[in-house]
Amino acid sequence: MTDLTFKNVVNGELVDSASGETYEVIDPSTGEVYAKAPMSGAEDIDRAYAAADAAFAGWGDTTPQERARALLHIADAIDARADELVKVESRDTGKPLGLTASEELPPSSDHFRFFAGAARVLEGKSAGEYMSDHTSFIRREPIGVVGQVTPWNYPLMMMIWKIAPALAAGNTVVLKPSDTTPASSTLLAEICQEFLPPGVLNVVCGDRDTGRALVEHRTPQMVSITGSVRAGMEVAGAAAADVKRVHLELGGKAPVIVFDDADVEKAAAAIAEAGYFNAGQDCTAATRVLAGPGVYDDFVAALAEQAKGIRTGMPDDEDVLYGALNNATQLDRVAGMVDRLPDHAKLETGGARQGEAGYFYTPTVLSGLKQDDEQIQDEIFGPVITVQKFGDEAEALRWANGVRYGLSASVWSKDHGTAMRMSKRLDFGVVWINTHIPFVSEMPHGGFKHSGYGKDLSMYGLEDYTRIKHVMSYIGG
């Protein structure tokens, strides 16, 4: 047992829960308790929202330049304290230290810098006389107080994807991180207090009931969640009762369509990395491959070889691509999906827990699955890649779109026409061609269907945290 205890961040101060209750935080690499966090209740949510509501009057009236300056300072502070953020993120999630430092921290500060600039260039229709003797113009205004809930797969980056555009637009925030990963969220909130007025950014820890109280509270004008479809539906239902705006980034089941003219070896290597990175715990992970009849056998063999060469292990091991699954429940879910493999399918490699301590699972490839199998239809969210063989382009498209998710997809082909046709017809919010999973601050990320609605990143993400007001003035004599 450790004496390490995280704190809520409310109104610029680090505080315990009002009740003094805590819960245990588990290190997924060992399966052992390493810290405690506040178990926040209704009183804590009330205090956080009261602080955010009081702070909105001032923060909402700041100029874009003033908000941009604060966000730029935060970005610099993230870079300055990168080593510290990497260590707490890795301890909470089991992620490899080296990859977290190289792949997650640089984008984190970059997102703040992007939204600092974006805050100063919001655009709208020019003022004009659309009725005789009347001038109309558009105001883009902050929405107000925003409630946000973040997931455990990328706790630091997903927090930044939410708070950076919300703060840039002039909103104030109350955010709840996942109960299994409070460390980096509370640390980042603490860092931000140096550059933000008290109450502008508040973080409260707790369980699902805490999140439900945050969403159902009467104060926020908008709620935003990155999480499972089930959680998104609950949030949308609760928000509907109070006519709150909702921003949802939910699950995914990305089709990865490999046509017969693709370079099999290059595609297998890239897809393996994009499928197993972060232990496949990514809504956009390349985990559902559809391969053409001419390359199916070769691709399955090449992907299995790639999987056999990929290692999972402890965060300080420089040779691993991914670490432990986040929690025991997720390990059981992933193992169960593989254990229930139907008779017509084949386990090509992997399919086993690694070691007895921690929540490690080996890189896994499944072949021979049918479209209605649960391993195809449901998000596994683990280091498991499935491969199906399609007959022609029409069947590939039908299978690709034949799931309830619509977050991301990729097409692998040397033929420009094929790639363009598929990018048009794929019912997904992000489509990559001959690559999978890169993100940039300037381009939007968000899905369709059960993957939710609203955009993260880009100017579209900033606009989601604004409201539009029409102002009309009579100018006649």
Side-chain angles (χ1 to χ4, degrees):
M1 182 61 69
T2 177
D3 293 330
L4 177 61
T5 302
F6 303 119
K7 303 283 189 179
N8 289 338
V9 182
V10 177
N11 203 30
E13 298 180 349
L14 277 63
V15 297
D16 296 319
S17 64
S19 66
E21 292 185 30
T22 61
Y23 66 89
E24 296 177 336
V25 183
I26 308 295
D27 181 338
S29 295
T30 64
E32 297 177 354
V33 175
Y34 87 95
K36 294 181 179 180
M39 181 61 80
S40 303
E43 186 175 349
D44 302 292
I45 298 296
D46 285 343
R47 288 178 178 178
Y49 273 130
D53 194 35
F56 176 66
W59 183 249
D61 277 346
T62 56
T63 66
Q65 181 188 54
E66 291 170 322
R67 296 195 296 274
R69 185 181 299 117
L71 267 60
L72 290 171
H73 284 316
I74 293 171
D76 291 342
I78 289 173
D79 289 342
R81 299 181 68 173
D83 289 345
E84 184 180 0
L85 285 163
V86 166
K87 288 177 182 177
V88 300
E89 185 79 338
S90 176
R91 187 74 183 274
D92 243 7
T93 63
K95 297 173 186 281
L97 288 162
L99 284 174
T100 304
S102 64
E103 301 299 320
E104 297 191 30
L105 264 293
S108 294
S109 57
D110 182 67
H111 295 327
F112 269 109
R113 292 189 176 99
F114 171 79
F115 283 111
R120 303 182 68 171
V121 292
L122 271 173
E123 297 179 351
K125 288 185 177 181
S126 61
E129 288 67 52
Y130 301 96
M131 177 184 289
S132 180
D133 293 334
H134 294 75
T135 296
S136 289
F137 64 92
I138 299 295
R139 290 180 54 89
R140 275 199 176 271
E141 300 177 341
I143 293 170
V145 178
V146 178
Q148 300 179 325
V149 179
T150 52
W152 46 253
N153 58 335
Y154 293 101
L156 179 65
M157 281 212 300
M158 294 300 97
M159 177 180 180
I160 290 170
W161 281 26
K162 294 200 176 302
I163 68 172
L167 298 176
N171 303 286
T172 56
V173 172
V174 177
L175 179 141
K176 190 198 87 68
S178 168
D179 58 329
T180 65
T181 55
S184 61
S185 300
T186 53
L187 176 57
L188 179 60
E190 180 183 350
I191 291 171
C192 289
Q193 299 312 306
E194 180 179 350
F195 312 107
L196 299 173
V200 170
L201 173 62
N202 309 272
V203 169
V204 289
C205 302
D207 59 8
R208 187 176 297 176
D209 289 337
T210 310
R212 187 173 292 111
L214 182 142
V215 170
E216 294 176 352
H217 202 277
R218 295 300 299 269
T219 296
Q221 297 298 303
M222 175 180 178
V223 290
S224 173
I225 180 175
T226 296
S228 67
V229 174
R230 175 200 54 77
M233 288 179 171
E234 290 184 5
V235 168
D242 200 28
V243 200
K244 295 182 177 77
R245 284 200 188 192
V246 182
H247 184 283
L248 303 176
E249 200 274 76
L250 309 177
K253 193 70 176 174
V256 182
I257 307 167
V258 181
F259 283 93
D260 285 345
D261 64 343
D263 185 314
V264 170
E265 294 298 328
K266 288 183 178 179
I271 291 166
E273 184 172 358
Y276 295 126
F277 185 82
N278 202 41
Q281 298 171 127
D282 190 315
C283 298
T284 63
T287 54
R288 181 169 66 106
V289 178
L290 310 175
V295 296
Y296 176 81
D297 291 336
D298 289 342
F299 181 85
V300 170
L303 183 63
E305 282 302 308
Q306 289 289 331
K308 291 172 184 177
I310 288 173
R311 295 183 58 234
T312 179
M314 298 298 285
D316 59 356
D317 188 337
E318 296 180 357
D319 294 325
V320 303
L321 177 66
Y322 66 89
L325 293 169
N326 180 258
N327 53 75
T329 299
Q330 188 60 21
L331 175 62
D332 289 344
R333 173 177 172 76
V334 172
M337 282 287 217
V338 177
D339 292 345
R340 293 191 300 274
L341 198 65
D343 292 339
H344 55 259
K346 180 182 179 182
L347 173 64
E348 297 286 345
T349 187
R353 180 176 181 176
Q354 178 174 297
E356 297 183 1
Y359 311 130
F360 297 95
Y361 200 82
T362 56
T364 301
V365 177
L366 308 178
S367 64
L369 287 155
K370 297 181 179 180
Q371 183 65 14
D372 58 354
D373 290 333
E374 66 170 325
Q375 293 82 0
I376 298 299
Q377 291 295 320
D378 297 334
E379 189 173 30
I380 299 175
F381 220 59
V384 180
I385 300 178
T386 65
V387 190
Q388 299 168 266
K389 179 167 66 174
F390 66 82
D392 55 24
E393 183 177 318
E395 186 170 61
L397 183 67
R398 186 169 65 254
W399 285 358
N401 288 337
V403 294
R404 60 178 176 158
Y405 303 96
L407 187 56
S408 62
S410 64
V411 180
W412 299 76
S413 173
K414 297 175 183 177
D415 185 86
H416 179 73
T418 298
M420 290 297 99
R421 284 194 305 276
M422 295 299 289
S423 67
K424 174 184 176 181
R425 295 168 181 168
L426 283 164
D427 197 13
F428 296 83
V430 180
V431 178
W432 290 286
I433 297 173
N434 293 323
T435 187
H436 193 106
I437 228 167
F439 292 101
V440 292
S441 298
E442 295 84 355
M443 289 292 111
H445 174 67
F448 308 144
K449 300 190 292 188
H450 279 206
S451 290
Y453 42 82
K455 297 298 181 184
D456 290 314
L457 306 177
S458 79
M459 290 299 296
Y460 300 100
L462 180 60
E463 290 173 359
D464 275 359
Y465 287 95
T466 67
R467 65 184 189 183
I468 297 172
K469 178 185 290 182
H470 167 218
V471 179
M472 178 182 278
S473 175
Y474 175 67
I475 60 172

